[in-house]
Amino acid sequence: MSEWVHVAHLEELTRGRKKVVTVGSEEIALFLVGDRVYALHNVCLHKQRSLAKGTVFNGRVVCPGHQWAFDLETGWEEEKEECQPTYEVKVEGDSVHVIPQRRVLTEAPAVRD
Ligand code: FES
């Protein structure tokens, strides 16, 4: 069972809105959107481009490689029906923590309201 790991201070994200951190063998891209932080595996499941170099748009991060668009919350790619791994995140005060254990959906998530 993995534990929460401190990976960044919130202020490190406020300027660029994203940051790559490494925990063990996990390369994790953090995205600050509004007041929420999302964490996805940084290496795109398609052809290994860096998602942190992508564009955040409409609740998704668009990979710079071939424009697959991964939901920030679930990692799901609607058109391709594939899932980029995500990580659980919590922010306590100025401290961003993740559980460095990949979460992967095997089917489309329920539609959000
Ligand atoms: S490498 Fe990410 S979409 Fe192709």
Side-chain angles (χ1 to χ4, degrees), residues 44-49 51 63-68 70:
C44 181
L45 66 88
H46 180 220
K47 299 272 184 188
Q48 291 78 52
R49 294 287 296 273
L51 282 192
C63 179
H66 311 88
Q67 287 70 53
W68 290 20
F70 300 101

Side-chain angles (χ1 to χ4, degrees), residues 1 7 14 19 24 64 70 109-110:
M1 178 79 189
V7 287
T14 50
K19 178 179 171 69
F70 300 101

Side-chain angles (χ1 to χ4, degrees), residues 34-94:
D35 58 359
R36 281 208 52 191
V37 178
Y38 300 91
L40 289 90
H41 188 52
N42 187 41
V43 182
C44 181
L45 66 88
H46 180 220
K47 299 272 184 188
Q48 291 78 52
R49 294 287 296 273
S50 166
L51 282 192
K53 294 191 174 140
T55 305
V56 172
F57 180 70
N58 213 7
R60 296 185 172 87
V61 55
V62 180
C63 179
H66 311 88
Q67 287 70 53
W68 290 20
F70 300 101
D71 185 282
L72 285 166
E73 176 86 47
T74 63
W76 190 252
E77 213 298 346
E78 223 170 71
E79 279 182 27
K80 306 294 179 190
E81 301 203 316
E82 298 215 40
C83 191
Q84 180 72 9
T86 61
Y87 306 89
E88 204 168 337
V89 186
K90 74 174 176 184
V91 178
E92 283 182 342
D94 178 44

